[in-house]
Amino acid sequence: MSITVNGLDELKKLAGSDLGTSAWIEVTQDRINTFADATGDHQWIHVDPERAAEGPFGAPIAHGYLTLSLFIPLFTELLDVQGVTTKVNYGLNKVRFPSPVKVGSRIRLVAKLADVEDVPGGVQITVDGAIEIEGGGKPAAVLQSLSRFYA
């Protein structure tokens, strides 16, 4: 379920709020292969199912940065900021990949709006997020993301 806010003042009021949990999405071999093609990272652990089946994880795994890139579509399910002219990713304070995402796994995002601070012309938000793996003991990624919204 998405939270919708209209404008920067409403966004500021959400500081410290839990944003909830996104829907599950499946990480398919096609998605992994497409990411490999886009980035040029064709390491066998990602794109060679037969060899990966014999490897340390027993199956191909998603690139860590593929998992990280899925933060944005998962996050947009949780928070919709309207009444602004521009939305940009500003960066990351920290990222860890505690557990690999095996092909066929489903992942989702659990997020909290940790902080909202004024910047020239807008606000910067800090989001604490964990990308969970269905049935997994550890998250696939733990991150702190920064985004800016301009009036």
Side-chain angles (χ1 to χ4, degrees):
M1 182 170 130
S2 179
I3 298 169
T4 300
V5 297
N6 190 7
L8 301 180
D9 289 336
E10 285 187 22
L11 182 58
K12 290 176 187 180
K13 291 177 186 176
L14 284 180
S17 298
D18 286 329
L19 297 175
T21 304
S22 73
W24 293 105
I25 61 169
E26 183 178 358
V27 179
T28 64
Q29 187 65 56
D30 284 343
R31 186 183 293 264
I32 292 169
N33 292 345
T34 299
F35 187 85
D37 290 342
T39 62
D41 182 353
H42 292 94
Q43 184 182 15
W44 64 269
I45 197 83
H46 307 301
V47 298
D48 185 339
E50 292 79 29
R51 187 171 175 195
E54 302 300 319
F57 305 108
I61 60 170
H63 305 73
Y65 287 116
L66 167 56
T67 303
L68 180 61
S69 73
L70 293 172
F71 170 80
I72 291 300
L74 295 169
F75 178 71
T76 58
E77 284 185 32
L78 301 180
L79 181 63
D80 179 20
V81 180
Q82 299 181 357
V84 296
T85 62
T86 308
K87 305 171 185 179
V88 296
N89 296 321
Y90 191 70
L92 300 161
N93 283 337
K94 54 186 167 184
V95 177
R96 297 289 182 269
F97 303 110
S99 187
V101 178
K102 293 181 184 180
V103 69
S105 295
R106 295 191 331 152
I107 61 172
R108 68 180 180 185
L109 174 66
V110 177
K112 177 181 181 177
L113 184 57
D115 192 27
V116 181
E117 60 185 294
D118 290 320
V119 296
V123 299
Q124 177 173 294
I125 67 170
T126 302
V127 176
D128 292 333
I131 298 177
E132 300 179 334
I133 305 167
E134 187 174 40
K138 293 181 183 177
V142 178
L143 60 119
Q144 190 173 68
S145 172
L146 304 173
S147 299
R148 289 194 171 179
F149 296 84
Y150 295 96

mmCIF file of all heavy atoms in Angstrom, residues 27 35 41 46 57 61-72 74 92-102 107-109 129-133 137-144:
data_model
loop_
_atom_site.group_PDB
_atom_site.id
_atom_site.type_symbol
_atom_site.label_atom_id
_atom_site.label_comp_id
_atom_site.label_asym_id
_atom_site.label_seq_id
_atom_site.Cartn_x
_atom_site.Cartn_y
_atom_site.Cartn_z
ATOM 1 N N VAL A 27 12.928 -12.646 -8.929
ATOM 2 C CA VAL A 27 14.179 -12.386 -9.631
ATOM 3 C C VAL A 27 14.429 -13.571 -10.546
ATOM 4 O O VAL A 27 14.832 -14.644 -10.100
ATOM 5 C CB VAL A 27 15.341 -12.163 -8.648
ATOM 6 C CG1 VAL A 27 16.632 -11.913 -9.405
ATOM 7 C CG2 VAL A 27 15.031 -11.009 -7.699
ATOM 8 N N PHE A 35 20.416 -7.726 -16.900
ATOM 9 C CA PHE A 35 21.313 -6.880 -16.107
ATOM 10 C C PHE A 35 22.766 -7.143 -16.507
ATOM 11 O O PHE A 35 23.559 -6.199 -16.659
ATOM 12 C CB PHE A 35 21.102 -7.133 -14.616
ATOM 13 C CG PHE A 35 21.864 -6.178 -13.737
ATOM 14 C CD1 PHE A 35 21.327 -4.948 -13.424
ATOM 15 C CD2 PHE A 35 23.101 -6.520 -13.217
ATOM 16 C CE1 PHE A 35 22.021 -4.052 -12.612
ATOM 17 C CE2 PHE A 35 23.798 -5.637 -12.406
ATOM 18 C CZ PHE A 35 23.271 -4.406 -12.110
ATOM 19 N N ASP A 41 28.717 -7.450 -16.938
ATOM 20 C CA ASP A 41 29.151 -8.376 -15.884
ATOM 21 C C ASP A 41 28.509 -9.738 -16.137
ATOM 22 O O ASP A 41 27.406 -10.010 -15.694
ATOM 23 C CB ASP A 41 28.752 -7.843 -14.513
ATOM 24 C CG ASP A 41 29.212 -8.744 -13.362
ATOM 25 O OD1 ASP A 41 29.733 -9.851 -13.622
ATOM 26 O OD2 ASP A 41 29.044 -8.336 -12.203
ATOM 27 N N HIS A 46 26.347 -15.812 -12.161
ATOM 28 C CA HIS A 46 25.088 -15.145 -12.485
ATOM 29 C C HIS A 46 24.403 -15.721 -13.730
ATOM 30 O O HIS A 46 23.189 -15.875 -13.737
ATOM 31 C CB HIS A 46 25.308 -13.651 -12.722
ATOM 32 C CG HIS A 46 26.017 -12.945 -11.618
ATOM 33 N ND1 HIS A 46 25.547 -12.903 -10.325
ATOM 34 C CD2 HIS A 46 27.188 -12.258 -11.616
ATOM 35 C CE1 HIS A 46 26.391 -12.211 -9.571
ATOM 36 N NE2 HIS A 46 27.402 -11.818 -10.330
ATOM 37 N N PHE A 57 26.516 -21.675 -4.199
ATOM 38 C CA PHE A 57 25.140 -21.382 -3.807
ATOM 39 C C PHE A 57 24.124 -22.359 -4.383
ATOM 40 O O PHE A 57 22.943 -22.270 -4.089
ATOM 41 C CB PHE A 57 24.781 -19.941 -4.198
ATOM 42 C CG PHE A 57 25.742 -18.942 -3.622
ATOM 43 C CD1 PHE A 57 26.659 -18.295 -4.434
ATOM 44 C CD2 PHE A 57 25.768 -18.685 -2.250
ATOM 45 C CE1 PHE A 57 27.564 -17.390 -3.902
ATOM 46 C CE2 PHE A 57 26.679 -17.781 -1.716
ATOM 47 C CZ PHE A 57 27.577 -17.137 -2.544
ATOM 48 N N ILE A 61 22.954 -16.706 -8.953
ATOM 49 C CA ILE A 61 22.520 -15.649 -8.038
ATOM 50 C C ILE A 61 22.494 -14.315 -8.775
ATOM 51 O O ILE A 61 23.234 -14.098 -9.736
ATOM 52 C CB ILE A 61 23.419 -15.549 -6.789
ATOM 53 C CG1 ILE A 61 24.873 -15.254 -7.168
ATOM 54 C CG2 ILE A 61 23.305 -16.812 -5.951
ATOM 55 C CD1 ILE A 61 25.769 -14.896 -5.988
ATOM 56 N N ALA A 62 21.636 -13.426 -8.292
ATOM 57 C CA ALA A 62 21.566 -12.077 -8.844
ATOM 58 C C ALA A 62 22.815 -11.295 -8.466
ATOM 59 O O ALA A 62 23.417 -11.514 -7.412
ATOM 60 C CB ALA A 62 20.329 -11.357 -8.308
ATOM 61 N N HIS A 63 23.190 -10.396 -9.332
ATOM 62 C CA HIS A 63 24.251 -9.450 -9.010
ATOM 63 C C HIS A 63 23.804 -8.630 -7.792
ATOM 64 O O HIS A 63 22.627 -8.263 -7.691
ATOM 65 C CB HIS A 63 24.472 -8.477 -10.166
ATOM 66 C CG HIS A 63 24.744 -9.107 -11.493
ATOM 67 N ND1 HIS A 63 23.769 -9.741 -12.238
ATOM 68 C CD2 HIS A 63 25.881 -9.167 -12.222
ATOM 69 C CE1 HIS A 63 24.300 -10.172 -13.364
ATOM 70 N NE2 HIS A 63 25.576 -9.838 -13.384
ATOM 71 N N GLY A 64 24.715 -8.319 -6.913
ATOM 72 C CA GLY A 64 24.368 -7.457 -5.788
ATOM 73 C C GLY A 64 23.804 -6.126 -6.260
ATOM 74 O O GLY A 64 22.830 -5.609 -5.704
ATOM 75 N N TYR A 65 24.398 -5.584 -7.320
ATOM 76 C CA TYR A 65 23.931 -4.289 -7.813
ATOM 77 C C TYR A 65 22.592 -4.394 -8.545
ATOM 78 O O TYR A 65 21.863 -3.403 -8.620
ATOM 79 C CB TYR A 65 24.990 -3.611 -8.676
ATOM 80 C CG TYR A 65 26.126 -3.079 -7.827
ATOM 81 C CD1 TYR A 65 27.415 -3.576 -7.964
ATOM 82 C CD2 TYR A 65 25.892 -2.091 -6.868
ATOM 83 C CE1 TYR A 65 28.445 -3.092 -7.175
ATOM 84 C CE2 TYR A 65 26.914 -1.619 -6.073
ATOM 85 C CZ TYR A 65 28.194 -2.113 -6.230
ATOM 86 O OH TYR A 65 29.208 -1.648 -5.436
ATOM 87 N N LEU A 66 22.248 -5.563 -9.035
ATOM 88 C CA LEU A 66 20.887 -5.755 -9.559
ATOM 89 C C LEU A 66 19.898 -5.669 -8.397
ATOM 90 O O LEU A 66 18.896 -4.959 -8.475
ATOM 91 C CB LEU A 66 20.756 -7.106 -10.272
ATOM 92 C CG LEU A 66 19.324 -7.574 -10.589
ATOM 93 C CD1 LEU A 66 18.566 -6.546 -11.413
ATOM 94 C CD2 LEU A 66 19.356 -8.919 -11.282
ATOM 95 N N THR A 67 20.199 -6.358 -7.326
ATOM 96 C CA THR A 67 19.338 -6.297 -6.144
ATOM 97 C C THR A 67 19.190 -4.854 -5.674
ATOM 98 O O THR A 67 18.083 -4.376 -5.411
ATOM 99 C CB THR A 67 19.911 -7.174 -5.020
ATOM 100 O OG1 THR A 67 20.051 -8.518 -5.500
ATOM 101 C CG2 THR A 67 19.037 -7.150 -3.786
ATOM 102 N N LEU A 68 20.298 -4.133 -5.613
ATOM 103 C CA LEU A 68 20.268 -2.738 -5.193
ATOM 104 C C LEU A 68 19.435 -1.896 -6.160
ATOM 105 O O LEU A 68 18.654 -1.038 -5.729
ATOM 106 C CB LEU A 68 21.690 -2.185 -5.100
ATOM 107 C CG LEU A 68 21.824 -0.727 -4.679
ATOM 108 C CD1 LEU A 68 21.239 -0.519 -3.289
ATOM 109 C CD2 LEU A 68 23.288 -0.312 -4.727
ATOM 110 N N SER A 69 19.554 -2.135 -7.458
ATOM 111 C CA SER A 69 18.816 -1.335 -8.439
ATOM 112 C C SER A 69 17.310 -1.536 -8.312
ATOM 113 O O SER A 69 16.530 -0.655 -8.691
ATOM 114 C CB SER A 69 19.267 -1.657 -9.863
ATOM 115 O OG SER A 69 18.796 -2.920 -10.284
ATOM 116 N N LEU A 70 16.891 -2.660 -7.778
ATOM 117 C CA LEU A 70 15.455 -2.912 -7.599
ATOM 118 C C LEU A 70 14.871 -2.122 -6.432
ATOM 119 O O LEU A 70 13.652 -2.075 -6.259
ATOM 120 C CB LEU A 70 15.204 -4.411 -7.438
ATOM 121 C CG LEU A 70 15.506 -5.225 -8.708
ATOM 122 C CD1 LEU A 70 15.427 -6.710 -8.416
ATOM 123 C CD2 LEU A 70 14.602 -4.827 -9.849
ATOM 124 N N PHE A 71 15.724 -1.456 -5.656
ATOM 125 C CA PHE A 71 15.240 -0.590 -4.580
ATOM 126 C C PHE A 71 14.249 0.449 -5.116
ATOM 127 O O PHE A 71 13.204 0.677 -4.507
ATOM 128 C CB PHE A 71 16.415 0.110 -3.880
ATOM 129 C CG PHE A 71 15.983 1.187 -2.926
ATOM 130 C CD1 PHE A 71 15.532 0.866 -1.659
ATOM 131 C CD2 PHE A 71 16.017 2.532 -3.300
ATOM 132 C CE1 PHE A 71 15.113 1.856 -0.776
ATOM 133 C CE2 PHE A 71 15.603 3.524 -2.425
ATOM 134 C CZ PHE A 71 15.152 3.186 -1.163
ATOM 135 N N ILE A 72 14.560 1.067 -6.238
ATOM 136 C CA ILE A 72 13.713 2.160 -6.745
ATOM 137 C C ILE A 72 12.307 1.674 -7.106
ATOM 138 O O ILE A 72 11.326 2.243 -6.624
ATOM 139 C CB ILE A 72 14.390 2.906 -7.898
ATOM 140 C CG1 ILE A 72 15.596 3.692 -7.374
ATOM 141 C CG2 ILE A 72 13.410 3.856 -8.596
ATOM 142 C CD1 ILE A 72 15.281 4.743 -6.319
ATOM 143 N N LEU A 74 10.731 -0.897 -6.060
ATOM 144 C CA LEU A 74 10.092 -1.339 -4.821
ATOM 145 C C LEU A 74 9.720 -0.139 -3.951
ATOM 146 O O LEU A 74 8.626 -0.083 -3.388
ATOM 147 C CB LEU A 74 11.011 -2.298 -4.060
ATOM 148 C CG LEU A 74 11.298 -3.636 -4.747
ATOM 149 C CD1 LEU A 74 12.423 -4.369 -4.026
ATOM 150 C CD2 LEU A 74 10.057 -4.485 -4.835
ATOM 151 N N LEU A 92 23.928 7.025 -1.666
ATOM 152 C CA LEU A 92 23.773 6.020 -0.619
ATOM 153 C C LEU A 92 24.787 6.305 0.478
ATOM 154 O O LEU A 92 25.933 6.644 0.196
ATOM 155 C CB LEU A 92 24.025 4.618 -1.185
ATOM 156 C CG LEU A 92 23.098 4.184 -2.307
ATOM 157 C CD1 LEU A 92 23.702 3.028 -3.087
ATOM 158 C CD2 LEU A 92 21.748 3.786 -1.736
ATOM 159 N N ASN A 93 24.352 6.172 1.719
ATOM 160 C CA ASN A 93 25.296 6.288 2.826
ATOM 161 C C ASN A 93 25.974 4.958 3.095
ATOM 162 O O ASN A 93 27.141 4.908 3.420
ATOM 163 C CB ASN A 93 24.604 6.780 4.094
ATOM 164 C CG ASN A 93 24.339 8.263 4.055
ATOM 165 O OD1 ASN A 93 24.994 9.011 3.337
ATOM 166 N ND2 ASN A 93 23.354 8.702 4.814
ATOM 167 N N LYS A 94 25.222 3.879 2.957
ATOM 168 C CA LYS A 94 25.803 2.560 3.187
ATOM 169 C C LYS A 94 24.953 1.496 2.512
ATOM 170 O O LYS A 94 23.741 1.651 2.352
ATOM 171 C CB LYS A 94 25.948 2.253 4.674
ATOM 172 C CG LYS A 94 24.665 2.402 5.478
ATOM 173 C CD LYS A 94 24.931 2.223 6.958
ATOM 174 C CE LYS A 94 23.739 2.692 7.756
ATOM 175 N NZ LYS A 94 23.958 2.643 9.177
ATOM 176 N N VAL A 95 25.632 0.422 2.123
ATOM 177 C CA VAL A 95 24.969 -0.726 1.497
ATOM 178 C C VAL A 95 25.735 -1.976 1.904
ATOM 179 O O VAL A 95 26.971 -1.989 1.882
ATOM 180 C CB VAL A 95 24.988 -0.638 -0.049
ATOM 181 C CG1 VAL A 95 24.353 -1.875 -0.659
ATOM 182 C CG2 VAL A 95 24.303 0.600 -0.555
ATOM 183 N N ARG A 96 24.982 -3.005 2.246
ATOM 184 C CA ARG A 96 25.570 -4.325 2.496
ATOM 185 C C ARG A 96 24.694 -5.366 1.826
ATOM 186 O O ARG A 96 23.480 -5.177 1.694
ATOM 187 C CB ARG A 96 25.657 -4.629 4.002
ATOM 188 C CG ARG A 96 26.556 -3.701 4.783
ATOM 189 C CD ARG A 96 28.041 -3.935 4.452
ATOM 190 N NE ARG A 96 28.912 -3.083 5.228
ATOM 191 C CZ ARG A 96 29.336 -1.881 4.850
ATOM 192 N NH1 ARG A 96 28.933 -1.375 3.711
ATOM 193 N NH2 ARG A 96 30.149 -1.181 5.606
ATOM 194 N N PHE A 97 25.311 -6.471 1.420
ATOM 195 C CA PHE A 97 24.596 -7.583 0.788
ATOM 196 C C PHE A 97 24.787 -8.842 1.633
ATOM 197 O O PHE A 97 25.604 -9.703 1.315
ATOM 198 C CB PHE A 97 25.115 -7.820 -0.637
ATOM 199 C CG PHE A 97 25.016 -6.622 -1.539
ATOM 200 C CD1 PHE A 97 26.149 -5.943 -1.945
ATOM 201 C CD2 PHE A 97 23.784 -6.182 -1.995
ATOM 202 C CE1 PHE A 97 26.054 -4.838 -2.784
ATOM 203 C CE2 PHE A 97 23.673 -5.085 -2.829
ATOM 204 C CZ PHE A 97 24.821 -4.405 -3.229
ATOM 205 N N PRO A 98 24.031 -8.982 2.738
ATOM 206 C CA PRO A 98 24.240 -10.098 3.661
ATOM 207 C C PRO A 98 23.942 -11.478 3.085
ATOM 208 O O PRO A 98 24.503 -12.470 3.549
ATOM 209 C CB PRO A 98 23.288 -9.805 4.821
ATOM 210 C CG PRO A 98 22.973 -8.357 4.724
ATOM 211 C CD PRO A 98 23.068 -8.017 3.265
ATOM 212 N N SER A 99 23.044 -11.560 2.090
ATOM 213 C CA SER A 99 22.660 -12.872 1.576
ATOM 214 C C SER A 99 22.424 -12.793 0.066
ATOM 215 O O SER A 99 21.793 -11.848 -0.407
ATOM 216 C CB SER A 99 21.388 -13.341 2.286
ATOM 217 O OG SER A 99 21.072 -14.665 1.922
ATOM 218 N N PRO A 100 22.912 -13.794 -0.683
ATOM 219 C CA PRO A 100 22.692 -13.777 -2.129
ATOM 220 C C PRO A 100 21.236 -14.097 -2.480
ATOM 221 O O PRO A 100 20.543 -14.805 -1.748
ATOM 222 C CB PRO A 100 23.627 -14.873 -2.640
ATOM 223 C CG PRO A 100 23.769 -15.812 -1.501
ATOM 224 C CD PRO A 100 23.687 -14.965 -0.256
ATOM 225 N N VAL A 101 20.807 -13.561 -3.614
ATOM 226 C CA VAL A 101 19.460 -13.816 -4.133
ATOM 227 C C VAL A 101 19.573 -14.866 -5.235
ATOM 228 O O VAL A 101 20.088 -14.588 -6.313
ATOM 229 C CB VAL A 101 18.817 -12.520 -4.695
ATOM 230 C CG1 VAL A 101 17.443 -12.827 -5.277
ATOM 231 C CG2 VAL A 101 18.729 -11.457 -3.620
ATOM 232 N N LYS A 102 19.108 -16.072 -4.939
ATOM 233 C CA LYS A 102 19.141 -17.139 -5.940
ATOM 234 C C LYS A 102 18.069 -16.904 -6.994
ATOM 235 O O LYS A 102 16.989 -16.372 -6.693
ATOM 236 C CB LYS A 102 18.907 -18.503 -5.286
ATOM 237 C CG LYS A 102 20.024 -18.940 -4.377
ATOM 238 C CD LYS A 102 19.724 -20.315 -3.791
ATOM 239 C CE LYS A 102 20.797 -20.730 -2.808
ATOM 240 N NZ LYS A 102 20.511 -22.066 -2.248
ATOM 241 N N ILE A 107 11.741 -11.176 -3.742
ATOM 242 C CA ILE A 107 12.254 -10.178 -2.811
ATOM 243 C C ILE A 107 11.224 -9.069 -2.621
ATOM 244 O O ILE A 107 10.327 -8.887 -3.452
ATOM 245 C CB ILE A 107 13.596 -9.570 -3.288
ATOM 246 C CG1 ILE A 107 13.428 -8.855 -4.643
ATOM 247 C CG2 ILE A 107 14.675 -10.654 -3.356
ATOM 248 C CD1 ILE A 107 14.645 -8.074 -5.077
ATOM 249 N N ARG A 108 11.361 -8.346 -1.506
ATOM 250 C CA ARG A 108 10.515 -7.186 -1.241
ATOM 251 C C ARG A 108 11.312 -6.199 -0.391
ATOM 252 O O ARG A 108 12.338 -6.545 0.204
ATOM 253 C CB ARG A 108 9.228 -7.580 -0.519
ATOM 254 C CG ARG A 108 9.447 -8.065 0.903
ATOM 255 C CD ARG A 108 8.157 -8.448 1.570
ATOM 256 N NE ARG A 108 8.393 -8.901 2.940
ATOM 257 C CZ ARG A 108 7.459 -9.385 3.725
ATOM 258 N NH1 ARG A 108 6.210 -9.472 3.290
ATOM 259 N NH2 ARG A 108 7.736 -9.768 4.944
ATOM 260 N N LEU A 109 10.791 -4.982 -0.312
ATOM 261 C CA LEU A 109 11.440 -3.932 0.453
ATOM 262 C C LEU A 109 10.636 -3.593 1.696
ATOM 263 O O LEU A 109 9.407 -3.446 1.624
ATOM 264 C CB LEU A 109 11.569 -2.660 -0.407
ATOM 265 C CG LEU A 109 12.106 -1.412 0.303
ATOM 266 C CD1 LEU A 109 13.558 -1.596 0.740
ATOM 267 C CD2 LEU A 109 11.966 -0.194 -0.604
ATOM 268 N N GLY A 129 16.410 0.995 4.458
ATOM 269 C CA GLY A 129 15.692 -0.090 3.810
ATOM 270 C C GLY A 129 16.370 -1.430 3.961
ATOM 271 O O GLY A 129 17.591 -1.515 4.135
ATOM 272 N N ALA A 130 15.554 -2.467 3.899
ATOM 273 C CA ALA A 130 16.052 -3.844 3.865
ATOM 274 C C ALA A 130 15.297 -4.558 2.753
ATOM 275 O O ALA A 130 14.064 -4.529 2.709
ATOM 276 C CB ALA A 130 15.830 -4.542 5.191
ATOM 277 N N ILE A 131 16.043 -5.156 1.846
ATOM 278 C CA ILE A 131 15.440 -5.975 0.797
ATOM 279 C C ILE A 131 15.479 -7.413 1.295
ATOM 280 O O ILE A 131 16.559 -7.996 1.460
ATOM 281 C CB ILE A 131 16.160 -5.798 -0.548
ATOM 282 C CG1 ILE A 131 16.041 -4.345 -1.004
ATOM 283 C CG2 ILE A 131 15.594 -6.767 -1.590
ATOM 284 C CD1 ILE A 131 16.768 -4.005 -2.283
ATOM 285 N N GLU A 132 14.294 -7.929 1.582
ATOM 286 C CA GLU A 132 14.162 -9.265 2.161
ATOM 287 C C GLU A 132 13.992 -10.308 1.073
ATOM 288 O O GLU A 132 13.451 -10.023 0.000
ATOM 289 C CB GLU A 132 12.939 -9.313 3.073
ATOM 290 C CG GLU A 132 12.983 -8.350 4.229
ATOM 291 C CD GLU A 132 11.743 -8.400 5.094
ATOM 292 O OE1 GLU A 132 10.658 -8.779 4.598
ATOM 293 O OE2 GLU A 132 11.855 -8.056 6.281
ATOM 294 N N ILE A 133 14.414 -11.522 1.383
ATOM 295 C CA ILE A 133 14.224 -12.677 0.510
ATOM 296 C C ILE A 133 13.151 -13.550 1.144
ATOM 297 O O ILE A 133 13.251 -13.899 2.329
ATOM 298 C CB ILE A 133 15.522 -13.497 0.352
ATOM 299 C CG1 ILE A 133 16.666 -12.617 -0.142
ATOM 300 C CG2 ILE A 133 15.297 -14.700 -0.569
ATOM 301 C CD1 ILE A 133 18.036 -13.265 -0.038
ATOM 302 N N GLY A 137 16.662 -16.114 5.938
ATOM 303 C CA GLY A 137 16.971 -15.688 7.285
ATOM 304 C C GLY A 137 17.611 -14.311 7.340
ATOM 305 O O GLY A 137 17.398 -13.558 8.282
ATOM 306 N N LYS A 138 18.401 -13.976 6.323
ATOM 307 C CA LYS A 138 19.076 -12.683 6.265
ATOM 308 C C LYS A 138 18.557 -11.912 5.056
ATOM 309 O O LYS A 138 18.200 -12.505 4.037
ATOM 310 C CB LYS A 138 20.583 -12.872 6.095
ATOM 311 C CG LYS A 138 21.281 -13.497 7.261
ATOM 312 C CD LYS A 138 22.765 -13.596 6.950
ATOM 313 C CE LYS A 138 23.533 -14.288 8.040
ATOM 314 N NZ LYS A 138 24.957 -14.422 7.674
ATOM 315 N N PRO A 139 18.574 -10.583 5.130
ATOM 316 C CA PRO A 139 18.154 -9.807 3.965
ATOM 317 C C PRO A 139 19.166 -9.899 2.828
ATOM 318 O O PRO A 139 20.347 -10.196 3.051
ATOM 319 C CB PRO A 139 18.069 -8.374 4.500
ATOM 320 C CG PRO A 139 18.891 -8.356 5.734
ATOM 321 C CD PRO A 139 18.915 -9.746 6.279
ATOM 322 N N ALA A 140 18.689 -9.637 1.625
ATOM 323 C CA ALA A 140 19.566 -9.594 0.457
ATOM 324 C C ALA A 140 20.403 -8.325 0.472
ATOM 325 O O ALA A 140 21.562 -8.327 0.051
ATOM 326 C CB ALA A 140 18.741 -9.660 -0.822
ATOM 327 N N ALA A 141 19.802 -7.231 0.930
ATOM 328 C CA ALA A 141 20.503 -5.951 0.996
ATOM 329 C C ALA A 141 19.956 -5.134 2.155
ATOM 330 O O ALA A 141 18.769 -5.190 2.456
ATOM 331 C CB ALA A 141 20.337 -5.171 -0.306
ATOM 332 N N VAL A 142 20.858 -4.410 2.782
ATOM 333 C CA VAL A 142 20.507 -3.440 3.811
ATOM 334 C C VAL A 142 21.146 -2.136 3.353
ATOM 335 O O VAL A 142 22.328 -2.112 3.013
ATOM 336 C CB VAL A 142 21.042 -3.857 5.197
ATOM 337 C CG1 VAL A 142 20.707 -2.812 6.240
ATOM 338 C CG2 VAL A 142 20.497 -5.222 5.591
ATOM 339 N N LEU A 143 20.349 -1.061 3.314
ATOM 340 C CA LEU A 143 20.877 0.160 2.730
ATOM 341 C C LEU A 143 20.300 1.397 3.373
ATOM 342 O O LEU A 143 19.258 1.349 4.021
ATOM 343 C CB LEU A 143 20.583 0.191 1.228
ATOM 344 C CG LEU A 143 19.107 0.154 0.850
ATOM 345 C CD1 LEU A 143 18.739 1.402 0.093
ATOM 346 C CD2 LEU A 143 18.837 -1.084 0.017
ATOM 347 N N GLN A 144 20.994 2.492 3.152
ATOM 348 C CA GLN A 144 20.493 3.819 3.517
ATOM 349 C C GLN A 144 20.620 4.672 2.267
ATOM 350 O O GLN A 144 21.720 4.951 1.786
ATOM 351 C CB GLN A 144 21.289 4.405 4.676
ATOM 352 C CG GLN A 144 20.656 5.660 5.234
ATOM 353 C CD GLN A 144 21.352 6.125 6.489
ATOM 354 O OE1 GLN A 144 22.502 6.549 6.428
ATOM 355 N NE2 GLN A 144 20.651 6.051 7.610
#
